[in-house]
Amino acid sequence: MKIFRWFAVLAAAVAVLQVGGASAQPYPSKPIRLIVPFGPGSGSDILARILAEPLTQALGQPILIENKPGNNTTLGTELVVQSPPDGYTLGLLTNSGLAASPGGLTSGVRYDPVKDLTYITLVASVNYVLLVNNDVPAKTAGELVALIKANPGKYNYASGNTGGIAYGGYFKNAHKLDMTHVPYKSTPPALADLISGHVQIMVADVPASLAMIRAGKVRPVGVPAAKRYLLLPDVPTFAESGLATPPVMDGWWALVAPAGTPDAIQDRLNREFVKVLENDAIRTRLLDSALVPTPSTRQQVVAYQKDQLQVWTTMVKDLNLKLE
């Protein structure tokens, strides 16, 4: 680890020269890798592809998206941690790898999200919805609870990301339901199995599932929130079907880089990302995809990540949540 740190410091020094040196090329002078810790078609992938083109124009270099799902996003997060701190490997990472997994949801986390990463800006947030296969005879979350209790051990539920794990685990634990958790690396394959009937229940993020809902391929039975969603106005809340409203466990994204990335590079990236996120056309595209843009200062995202790490650490313990 000490050798890695020495190389990181050396790489950072070289990056400083690239940014500030009189004869060096200004940053960026080559394509930038953007690590997305979920597979194609996921909410993270949708977000990255909406932002990639305007960011390529703003920075003058291609943004190359690399999908690296695995172990509840910790594999993709580790890839960012282990990269040179020169601004050419960034992560569009989520609360999964930055707060929930290091907070105890996932075992075997080999990085410190506070010490091993640097935070550039918050990017977006997302809501979740409880879905069932069309053959499941339940129209609301309350009816689904009654159905599972009447058929112990018959039903299973899928998850494709941290929100799915957390909300699904809460749904199971809070109502003492006898059903089996089937975790997936990403949301699209979980949705595919929900549609085919290999799994019967799932809590999914709205961006990844909205098209399937509108096409009638899966049925939404409830939203785990205090109010109905704008894009799903006909789907009742848990409270409207007689269930308690869960704690807020919605997802969020942050742009991060390896620890030691020079301030000059971070400042440039923050300026360009914030401009893109505040652009009216981009903002509309994001909102239409159920992604809420949340641009921030560097200081704000650092504070938010630390707060969320504490929130998830407490929530994982109090709700007895664990990725099996």
Short mmCIF file of all heavy atoms in Angstrom, two decimals, residues 96-162:
data_model
loop_
_atom_site.label_atom_id
_atom_site.label_comp_id
_atom_site.label_asym_id
_atom_site.label_seq_id
_atom_site.Cartn_x
_atom_site.Cartn_y
_atom_site.Cartn_z
N SER A 96 -24.16 3.39 -3.39
CA SER A 96 -23.84 1.98 -3.18
C SER A 96 -22.39 1.81 -2.74
O SER A 96 -22.10 1.21 -1.70
CB SER A 96 -24.08 1.18 -4.46
OG SER A 96 -25.40 1.28 -4.89
N GLY A 97 -21.47 2.33 -3.55
CA GLY A 97 -20.05 2.16 -3.26
C GLY A 97 -19.46 3.22 -2.37
O GLY A 97 -18.39 3.02 -1.78
N LEU A 98 -20.15 4.36 -2.24
CA LEU A 98 -19.59 5.49 -1.48
C LEU A 98 -20.12 5.58 -0.06
O LEU A 98 -19.52 6.27 0.77
CB LEU A 98 -19.88 6.80 -2.22
CG LEU A 98 -19.32 6.90 -3.64
CD1 LEU A 98 -19.73 8.22 -4.28
CD2 LEU A 98 -17.79 6.76 -3.63
N ALA A 99 -21.24 4.91 0.23
CA ALA A 99 -21.83 5.02 1.56
C ALA A 99 -22.38 3.69 2.07
O ALA A 99 -22.05 3.26 3.18
CB ALA A 99 -22.92 6.08 1.57
N ALA A 100 -23.24 3.03 1.28
CA ALA A 100 -23.93 1.83 1.76
C ALA A 100 -22.99 0.65 1.96
O ALA A 100 -22.97 0.03 3.03
CB ALA A 100 -25.06 1.46 0.81
N SER A 101 -22.22 0.30 0.94
CA SER A 101 -21.31 -0.85 1.06
C SER A 101 -20.25 -0.63 2.13
O SER A 101 -20.07 -1.49 3.00
CB SER A 101 -20.67 -1.16 -0.29
OG SER A 101 -21.61 -1.76 -1.16
N PRO A 102 -19.54 0.51 2.13
CA PRO A 102 -18.58 0.73 3.22
C PRO A 102 -19.25 0.93 4.57
O PRO A 102 -18.58 0.80 5.62
CB PRO A 102 -17.81 1.98 2.78
CG PRO A 102 -18.64 2.63 1.75
CD PRO A 102 -19.44 1.56 1.10
N GLY A 103 -20.56 1.20 4.57
CA GLY A 103 -21.30 1.32 5.83
C GLY A 103 -21.74 -0.02 6.39
O GLY A 103 -22.39 -0.07 7.44
N GLY A 104 -21.39 -1.13 5.71
CA GLY A 104 -21.68 -2.45 6.24
C GLY A 104 -22.63 -3.29 5.43
O GLY A 104 -22.85 -4.46 5.74
N LEU A 105 -23.21 -2.74 4.36
CA LEU A 105 -24.17 -3.50 3.56
C LEU A 105 -23.48 -4.64 2.80
O LEU A 105 -24.06 -5.70 2.61
CB LEU A 105 -24.89 -2.58 2.57
CG LEU A 105 -26.00 -3.20 1.74
CD1 LEU A 105 -27.16 -3.65 2.64
CD2 LEU A 105 -26.51 -2.23 0.68
N THR A 106 -22.25 -4.40 2.36
CA THR A 106 -21.50 -5.38 1.58
C THR A 106 -20.21 -5.73 2.30
O THR A 106 -19.50 -4.84 2.78
CB THR A 106 -21.17 -4.81 0.19
OG1 THR A 106 -22.37 -4.34 -0.42
CG2 THR A 106 -20.53 -5.86 -0.70
N SER A 107 -19.90 -7.00 2.36
CA SER A 107 -18.66 -7.42 3.02
C SER A 107 -17.48 -7.33 2.05
O SER A 107 -17.66 -7.29 0.84
CB SER A 107 -18.79 -8.86 3.53
OG SER A 107 -19.07 -9.75 2.46
N GLY A 108 -16.28 -7.29 2.59
CA GLY A 108 -15.07 -7.32 1.78
C GLY A 108 -14.72 -6.02 1.09
O GLY A 108 -14.00 -6.03 0.09
N VAL A 109 -15.21 -4.87 1.59
CA VAL A 109 -14.86 -3.58 1.00
C VAL A 109 -13.40 -3.27 1.33
O VAL A 109 -13.00 -3.25 2.51
CB VAL A 109 -15.78 -2.45 1.52
CG1 VAL A 109 -15.34 -1.11 0.96
CG2 VAL A 109 -17.22 -2.76 1.14
N ARG A 110 -12.59 -3.00 0.30
CA ARG A 110 -11.14 -2.86 0.48
C ARG A 110 -10.64 -1.44 0.28
O ARG A 110 -9.48 -1.23 -0.07
CB ARG A 110 -10.41 -3.82 -0.48
CG ARG A 110 -10.73 -5.29 -0.21
CD ARG A 110 -10.03 -6.21 -1.19
NE ARG A 110 -10.58 -6.07 -2.55
CZ ARG A 110 -10.19 -6.84 -3.57
NH1 ARG A 110 -9.24 -7.75 -3.40
NH2 ARG A 110 -10.75 -6.67 -4.76
N TYR A 111 -11.49 -0.47 0.50
CA TYR A 111 -11.08 0.93 0.35
C TYR A 111 -11.81 1.77 1.38
O TYR A 111 -12.83 1.36 1.95
CB TYR A 111 -11.40 1.45 -1.06
CG TYR A 111 -12.86 1.33 -1.43
CD1 TYR A 111 -13.78 2.32 -1.08
CD2 TYR A 111 -13.33 0.21 -2.11
CE1 TYR A 111 -15.11 2.20 -1.40
CE2 TYR A 111 -14.68 0.08 -2.43
CZ TYR A 111 -15.56 1.08 -2.08
OH TYR A 111 -16.89 0.95 -2.37
N ASP A 112 -11.27 2.95 1.64
CA ASP A 112 -11.89 3.92 2.52
C ASP A 112 -12.46 5.02 1.63
O ASP A 112 -11.69 5.74 0.98
CB ASP A 112 -10.85 4.50 3.48
CG ASP A 112 -11.44 5.46 4.50
OD1 ASP A 112 -12.39 6.19 4.15
OD2 ASP A 112 -10.95 5.51 5.64
N PRO A 113 -13.79 5.19 1.58
CA PRO A 113 -14.37 6.16 0.64
C PRO A 113 -14.03 7.60 0.98
O PRO A 113 -14.17 8.48 0.13
CB PRO A 113 -15.87 5.90 0.75
CG PRO A 113 -16.05 5.36 2.13
CD PRO A 113 -14.84 4.52 2.39
N VAL A 114 -13.59 7.85 2.20
CA VAL A 114 -13.21 9.21 2.60
C VAL A 114 -11.76 9.50 2.24
O VAL A 114 -11.44 10.54 1.67
CB VAL A 114 -13.44 9.42 4.11
CG1 VAL A 114 -12.93 10.79 4.54
CG2 VAL A 114 -14.93 9.27 4.45
N LYS A 115 -10.87 8.55 2.52
CA LYS A 115 -9.44 8.78 2.34
C LYS A 115 -8.93 8.44 0.94
O LYS A 115 -7.95 9.04 0.48
CB LYS A 115 -8.65 7.96 3.37
CG LYS A 115 -8.90 8.36 4.81
CD LYS A 115 -8.10 7.50 5.76
CE LYS A 115 -8.35 7.88 7.22
NZ LYS A 115 -7.58 7.01 8.16
N ASP A 116 -9.57 7.50 0.27
CA ASP A 116 -9.02 6.99 -0.99
C ASP A 116 -9.63 7.64 -2.24
O ASP A 116 -9.23 7.32 -3.36
CB ASP A 116 -9.23 5.47 -1.08
CG ASP A 116 -8.42 4.72 -0.03
OD1 ASP A 116 -7.41 5.28 0.44
OD2 ASP A 116 -8.81 3.60 0.34
N LEU A 117 -10.59 8.53 -2.05
CA LEU A 117 -11.23 9.20 -3.18
C LEU A 117 -11.32 10.70 -2.92
O LEU A 117 -11.28 11.15 -1.77
CB LEU A 117 -12.65 8.65 -3.40
CG LEU A 117 -12.75 7.20 -3.87
CD1 LEU A 117 -14.18 6.70 -3.71
CD2 LEU A 117 -12.30 7.06 -5.32
N THR A 118 -11.42 11.45 -3.99
CA THR A 118 -11.68 12.88 -3.89
C THR A 118 -12.98 13.18 -4.62
O THR A 118 -13.29 12.57 -5.64
CB THR A 118 -10.51 13.70 -4.47
OG1 THR A 118 -10.69 15.08 -4.16
CG2 THR A 118 -10.38 13.54 -5.96
N TYR A 119 -13.75 14.10 -4.09
CA TYR A 119 -15.13 14.33 -4.55
C TYR A 119 -15.23 15.66 -5.29
O TYR A 119 -14.82 16.70 -4.78
CB TYR A 119 -16.08 14.29 -3.35
CG TYR A 119 -16.16 12.90 -2.76
CD1 TYR A 119 -15.16 12.43 -1.91
CD2 TYR A 119 -17.19 12.04 -3.11
CE1 TYR A 119 -15.20 11.13 -1.40
CE2 TYR A 119 -17.25 10.75 -2.60
CZ TYR A 119 -16.25 10.30 -1.75
OH TYR A 119 -16.30 9.01 -1.26
N ILE A 120 -15.79 15.60 -6.50
CA ILE A 120 -15.79 16.76 -7.41
C ILE A 120 -17.14 17.46 -7.43
O ILE A 120 -17.21 18.68 -7.34
CB ILE A 120 -15.37 16.31 -8.81
CG1 ILE A 120 -13.92 15.79 -8.77
CG2 ILE A 120 -15.48 17.47 -9.81
CD1 ILE A 120 -13.49 15.03 -10.00
N THR A 121 -18.24 16.71 -7.56
CA THR A 121 -19.58 17.30 -7.50
C THR A 121 -20.62 16.22 -7.31
O THR A 121 -20.42 15.06 -7.72
CB THR A 121 -19.93 18.10 -8.78
OG1 THR A 121 -21.23 18.69 -8.63
CG2 THR A 121 -19.93 17.24 -10.01
N LEU A 122 -21.72 16.56 -6.66
CA LEU A 122 -22.90 15.72 -6.74
C LEU A 122 -23.45 15.83 -8.16
O LEU A 122 -23.30 16.87 -8.81
CB LEU A 122 -23.95 16.16 -5.73
CG LEU A 122 -23.66 15.85 -4.26
CD1 LEU A 122 -24.63 16.59 -3.35
CD2 LEU A 122 -23.73 14.34 -4.01
N VAL A 123 -24.10 14.79 -8.64
CA VAL A 123 -24.56 14.77 -10.03
C VAL A 123 -26.08 14.66 -10.14
O VAL A 123 -26.73 15.48 -10.78
CB VAL A 123 -23.88 13.64 -10.82
CG1 VAL A 123 -24.39 13.60 -12.26
CG2 VAL A 123 -22.36 13.80 -10.80
N ALA A 124 -26.67 13.64 -9.51
CA ALA A 124 -28.11 13.42 -9.65
C ALA A 124 -28.61 12.52 -8.53
O ALA A 124 -27.83 11.90 -7.80
CB ALA A 124 -28.42 12.80 -11.01
N SER A 125 -29.94 12.46 -8.41
CA SER A 125 -30.57 11.54 -7.46
C SER A 125 -31.70 10.81 -8.17
O SER A 125 -32.12 11.18 -9.27
CB SER A 125 -31.11 12.29 -6.24
OG SER A 125 -32.11 13.22 -6.62
N VAL A 126 -32.22 9.75 -7.51
CA VAL A 126 -33.20 8.88 -8.17
C VAL A 126 -34.14 8.26 -7.14
O VAL A 126 -33.76 8.04 -5.99
CB VAL A 126 -32.47 7.78 -8.97
CG1 VAL A 126 -31.75 6.82 -8.05
CG2 VAL A 126 -33.42 7.02 -9.87
N ASN A 127 -35.38 7.97 -7.58
CA ASN A 127 -36.38 7.32 -6.72
C ASN A 127 -36.54 5.85 -7.10
O ASN A 127 -36.04 5.40 -8.13
CB ASN A 127 -37.73 8.01 -6.87
CG ASN A 127 -37.70 9.46 -6.45
OD1 ASN A 127 -38.17 10.32 -7.16
ND2 ASN A 127 -37.16 9.74 -5.28
N TYR A 128 -37.30 5.11 -6.25
CA TYR A 128 -37.51 3.67 -6.45
C TYR A 128 -39.00 3.33 -6.45
O TYR A 128 -39.82 4.08 -5.92
CB TYR A 128 -36.79 2.88 -5.36
CG TYR A 128 -35.29 2.84 -5.57
CD1 TYR A 128 -34.50 3.92 -5.22
CD2 TYR A 128 -34.68 1.75 -6.17
CE1 TYR A 128 -33.13 3.91 -5.45
CE2 TYR A 128 -33.33 1.73 -6.41
CZ TYR A 128 -32.56 2.81 -6.05
OH TYR A 128 -31.21 2.80 -6.29
N VAL A 129 -39.31 2.17 -7.04
CA VAL A 129 -40.69 1.72 -7.14
C VAL A 129 -40.74 0.20 -6.93
O VAL A 129 -39.84 -0.53 -7.35
CB VAL A 129 -41.29 2.10 -8.52
CG1 VAL A 129 -40.48 1.50 -9.66
CG2 VAL A 129 -42.75 1.69 -8.61
N LEU A 130 -41.80 -0.26 -6.25
CA LEU A 130 -42.01 -1.69 -6.00
C LEU A 130 -42.77 -2.28 -7.18
O LEU A 130 -43.86 -1.82 -7.54
CB LEU A 130 -42.80 -1.89 -4.71
CG LEU A 130 -43.17 -3.33 -4.32
CD1 LEU A 130 -41.92 -4.17 -4.11
CD2 LEU A 130 -44.04 -3.32 -3.07
N LEU A 131 -42.19 -3.31 -7.81
CA LEU A 131 -42.75 -3.93 -9.02
C LEU A 131 -43.07 -5.40 -8.78
O LEU A 131 -42.44 -6.05 -7.93
CB LEU A 131 -41.74 -3.83 -10.17
CG LEU A 131 -41.18 -2.46 -10.53
CD1 LEU A 131 -40.05 -2.61 -11.52
CD2 LEU A 131 -42.29 -1.58 -11.11
N VAL A 132 -44.02 -5.92 -9.56
CA VAL A 132 -44.28 -7.36 -9.55
C VAL A 132 -44.40 -7.85 -10.98
O VAL A 132 -44.69 -7.07 -11.90
CB VAL A 132 -45.58 -7.70 -8.77
CG1 VAL A 132 -45.44 -7.34 -7.30
CG2 VAL A 132 -46.80 -7.03 -9.39
N ASN A 133 -44.19 -9.14 -11.17
CA ASN A 133 -44.49 -9.79 -12.44
C ASN A 133 -45.99 -9.71 -12.70
O ASN A 133 -46.79 -9.74 -11.76
CB ASN A 133 -44.03 -11.25 -12.36
CG ASN A 133 -44.45 -12.06 -13.56
OD1 ASN A 133 -45.55 -12.62 -13.57
ND2 ASN A 133 -43.60 -12.13 -14.57
N ASN A 134 -46.38 -9.61 -13.96
CA ASN A 134 -47.79 -9.41 -14.29
C ASN A 134 -48.70 -10.55 -13.84
O ASN A 134 -49.92 -10.37 -13.72
CB ASN A 134 -47.95 -9.19 -15.79
CG ASN A 134 -47.55 -7.79 -16.21
OD1 ASN A 134 -47.67 -6.83 -15.44
ND2 ASN A 134 -47.05 -7.65 -17.43
N ASP A 135 -48.13 -11.73 -13.56
CA ASP A 135 -48.94 -12.86 -13.11
C ASP A 135 -49.19 -12.85 -11.61
O ASP A 135 -49.97 -13.67 -11.10
CB ASP A 135 -48.28 -14.19 -13.50
CG ASP A 135 -48.29 -14.43 -15.01
OD1 ASP A 135 -49.20 -13.88 -15.67
OD2 ASP A 135 -47.40 -15.13 -15.50
N VAL A 136 -48.53 -11.95 -10.89
CA VAL A 136 -48.73 -11.87 -9.44
C VAL A 136 -50.05 -11.15 -9.17
O VAL A 136 -50.24 -10.01 -9.60
CB VAL A 136 -47.56 -11.12 -8.77
CG1 VAL A 136 -47.84 -10.91 -7.28
CG2 VAL A 136 -46.27 -11.90 -8.95
N PRO A 137 -50.98 -11.76 -8.44
CA PRO A 137 -52.31 -11.17 -8.24
C PRO A 137 -52.35 -10.15 -7.10
O PRO A 137 -53.05 -10.34 -6.10
CB PRO A 137 -53.18 -12.39 -7.93
CG PRO A 137 -52.25 -13.33 -7.24
CD PRO A 137 -50.91 -13.14 -7.92
N ALA A 138 -51.59 -9.06 -7.26
CA ALA A 138 -51.60 -7.98 -6.27
C ALA A 138 -51.52 -6.66 -7.02
O ALA A 138 -50.74 -6.51 -7.95
CB ALA A 138 -50.42 -8.12 -5.32
N LYS A 139 -52.34 -5.72 -6.59
CA LYS A 139 -52.39 -4.41 -7.27
C LYS A 139 -51.78 -3.29 -6.43
O LYS A 139 -51.51 -2.21 -6.93
CB LYS A 139 -53.85 -4.05 -7.60
CG LYS A 139 -54.54 -5.03 -8.53
CD LYS A 139 -53.89 -5.06 -9.91
CE LYS A 139 -54.74 -5.83 -10.92
NZ LYS A 139 -54.85 -7.27 -10.62
N THR A 140 -51.60 -3.53 -5.12
CA THR A 140 -51.00 -2.54 -4.24
C THR A 140 -49.97 -3.21 -3.34
O THR A 140 -49.92 -4.45 -3.24
CB THR A 140 -52.06 -1.87 -3.33
OG1 THR A 140 -52.56 -2.84 -2.39
CG2 THR A 140 -53.22 -1.31 -4.15
N ALA A 141 -49.15 -2.41 -2.69
CA ALA A 141 -48.14 -2.95 -1.77
C ALA A 141 -48.81 -3.69 -0.62
O ALA A 141 -48.32 -4.73 -0.15
CB ALA A 141 -47.25 -1.83 -1.26
N GLY A 142 -49.94 -3.17 -0.14
CA GLY A 142 -50.66 -3.83 0.94
C GLY A 142 -51.18 -5.20 0.52
O GLY A 142 -51.09 -6.18 1.28
N GLU A 143 -51.72 -5.29 -0.69
CA GLU A 143 -52.19 -6.58 -1.20
C GLU A 143 -51.03 -7.56 -1.37
O GLU A 143 -51.18 -8.76 -1.13
CB GLU A 143 -52.91 -6.39 -2.54
CG GLU A 143 -54.25 -5.70 -2.44
CD GLU A 143 -54.92 -5.56 -3.79
OE1 GLU A 143 -54.40 -6.12 -4.79
OE2 GLU A 143 -55.96 -4.89 -3.87
N LEU A 144 -49.86 -7.03 -1.76
CA LEU A 144 -48.69 -7.90 -1.93
C LEU A 144 -48.24 -8.48 -0.60
O LEU A 144 -47.89 -9.67 -0.51
CB LEU A 144 -47.55 -7.11 -2.58
CG LEU A 144 -46.29 -7.91 -2.90
CD1 LEU A 144 -46.59 -9.06 -3.87
CD2 LEU A 144 -45.21 -7.00 -3.50
N VAL A 145 -48.25 -7.69 0.46
CA VAL A 145 -47.90 -8.19 1.79
C VAL A 145 -48.85 -9.33 2.19
O VAL A 145 -48.41 -10.40 2.65
CB VAL A 145 -47.94 -7.06 2.84
CG1 VAL A 145 -47.88 -7.63 4.26
CG2 VAL A 145 -46.80 -6.09 2.62
N ALA A 146 -50.15 -9.12 2.01
CA ALA A 146 -51.12 -10.15 2.37
C ALA A 146 -50.92 -11.43 1.54
O ALA A 146 -51.02 -12.55 2.07
CB ALA A 146 -52.54 -9.61 2.15
N LEU A 147 -50.59 -11.27 0.25
CA LEU A 147 -50.38 -12.41 -0.62
C LEU A 147 -49.17 -13.23 -0.18
O LEU A 147 -49.23 -14.47 -0.13
CB LEU A 147 -50.19 -11.93 -2.06
CG LEU A 147 -49.95 -13.00 -3.12
CD1 LEU A 147 -51.19 -13.86 -3.30
CD2 LEU A 147 -49.54 -12.36 -4.45
N ILE A 148 -48.06 -12.56 0.13
CA ILE A 148 -46.85 -13.27 0.55
C ILE A 148 -47.07 -13.98 1.88
O ILE A 148 -46.64 -15.13 2.08
CB ILE A 148 -45.66 -12.29 0.65
CG1 ILE A 148 -45.36 -11.69 -0.73
CG2 ILE A 148 -44.42 -12.99 1.19
CD1 ILE A 148 -44.40 -10.52 -0.70
N LYS A 149 -47.77 -13.33 2.80
CA LYS A 149 -48.05 -13.96 4.09
C LYS A 149 -48.94 -15.19 3.95
O LYS A 149 -48.82 -16.16 4.71
CB LYS A 149 -48.68 -12.95 5.04
CG LYS A 149 -47.69 -11.92 5.56
CD LYS A 149 -48.31 -11.04 6.64
CE LYS A 149 -47.25 -10.13 7.26
NZ LYS A 149 -47.79 -9.27 8.35
N ALA A 150 -49.81 -15.16 2.95
CA ALA A 150 -50.68 -16.32 2.72
C ALA A 150 -49.97 -17.45 1.99
O ALA A 150 -50.48 -18.57 1.94
CB ALA A 150 -51.91 -15.88 1.92
N ASN A 151 -48.78 -17.14 1.43
CA ASN A 151 -48.02 -18.14 0.66
C ASN A 151 -46.55 -18.10 1.07
O ASN A 151 -45.67 -17.75 0.27
CB ASN A 151 -48.15 -17.86 -0.83
CG ASN A 151 -49.56 -17.98 -1.34
OD1 ASN A 151 -50.02 -19.06 -1.70
ND2 ASN A 151 -50.28 -16.86 -1.38
N PRO A 152 -46.23 -18.45 2.32
CA PRO A 152 -44.84 -18.36 2.79
C PRO A 152 -43.90 -19.22 1.98
O PRO A 152 -44.21 -20.36 1.64
CB PRO A 152 -44.94 -18.84 4.24
CG PRO A 152 -46.20 -19.64 4.32
CD PRO A 152 -47.13 -18.99 3.35
N GLY A 153 -42.76 -18.62 1.60
CA GLY A 153 -41.73 -19.35 0.86
C GLY A 153 -41.97 -19.47 -0.62
O GLY A 153 -41.12 -19.99 -1.34
N LYS A 154 -43.10 -18.97 -1.12
CA LYS A 154 -43.43 -19.13 -2.53
C LYS A 154 -42.78 -18.07 -3.41
O LYS A 154 -42.43 -18.34 -4.57
CB LYS A 154 -44.95 -19.08 -2.72
CG LYS A 154 -45.41 -19.19 -4.17
CD LYS A 154 -46.92 -19.14 -4.30
CE LYS A 154 -47.36 -19.20 -5.76
NZ LYS A 154 -48.85 -19.15 -5.89
N TYR A 155 -42.59 -16.87 -2.87
CA TYR A 155 -42.15 -15.73 -3.70
C TYR A 155 -40.70 -15.35 -3.41
O TYR A 155 -40.19 -15.55 -2.30
CB TYR A 155 -43.06 -14.54 -3.46
CG TYR A 155 -44.47 -14.76 -3.95
CD1 TYR A 155 -45.49 -15.11 -3.06
CD2 TYR A 155 -44.78 -14.64 -5.29
CE1 TYR A 155 -46.79 -15.33 -3.50
CE2 TYR A 155 -46.08 -14.85 -5.75
CZ TYR A 155 -47.07 -15.20 -4.85
OH TYR A 155 -48.35 -15.42 -5.30
N ASN A 156 -40.05 -14.80 -4.44
CA ASN A 156 -38.71 -14.25 -4.25
C ASN A 156 -38.68 -12.84 -4.81
O ASN A 156 -39.54 -12.44 -5.58
CB ASN A 156 -37.63 -15.14 -4.89
CG ASN A 156 -37.92 -15.46 -6.35
OD1 ASN A 156 -38.43 -14.62 -7.10
ND2 ASN A 156 -37.59 -16.67 -6.77
N TYR A 157 -37.67 -12.09 -4.38
CA TYR A 157 -37.56 -10.71 -4.85
C TYR A 157 -36.14 -10.44 -5.33
O TYR A 157 -35.16 -10.93 -4.75
CB TYR A 157 -37.97 -9.71 -3.77
CG TYR A 157 -37.02 -9.57 -2.60
CD1 TYR A 157 -36.09 -8.53 -2.54
CD2 TYR A 157 -37.06 -10.47 -1.53
CE1 TYR A 157 -35.23 -8.39 -1.46
CE2 TYR A 157 -36.20 -10.33 -0.45
CZ TYR A 157 -35.29 -9.29 -0.41
OH TYR A 157 -34.44 -9.16 0.66
N ALA A 158 -36.04 -9.68 -6.40
CA ALA A 158 -34.75 -9.36 -7.01
C ALA A 158 -34.29 -7.98 -6.58
O ALA A 158 -35.08 -7.12 -6.18
CB ALA A 158 -34.86 -9.41 -8.53
N SER A 159 -32.99 -7.76 -6.70
CA SER A 159 -32.42 -6.43 -6.55
C SER A 159 -31.31 -6.28 -7.57
O SER A 159 -30.62 -7.24 -7.91
CB SER A 159 -31.87 -6.22 -5.14
OG SER A 159 -30.75 -7.05 -4.90
N GLY A 160 -31.14 -5.03 -8.07
CA GLY A 160 -30.08 -4.78 -9.03
C GLY A 160 -29.14 -3.68 -8.61
O GLY A 160 -28.20 -3.35 -9.33
N ASN A 161 -29.40 -3.10 -7.43
CA ASN A 161 -28.54 -2.05 -6.90
C ASN A 161 -28.83 -1.85 -5.42
O ASN A 161 -29.67 -2.56 -4.84
CB ASN A 161 -28.72 -0.74 -7.68
CG ASN A 161 -30.17 -0.31 -7.78
OD1 ASN A 161 -30.97 -0.57 -6.89
ND2 ASN A 161 -30.52 0.36 -8.87
N THR A 162 -28.16 -0.89 -4.80
CA THR A 162 -28.29 -0.71 -3.36
C THR A 162 -29.69 -0.34 -2.94
O THR A 162 -30.20 -0.83 -1.93
CB THR A 162 -27.30 0.36 -2.88
OG1 THR A 162 -25.97 -0.15 -3.03
CG2 THR A 162 -27.51 0.70 -1.42
#
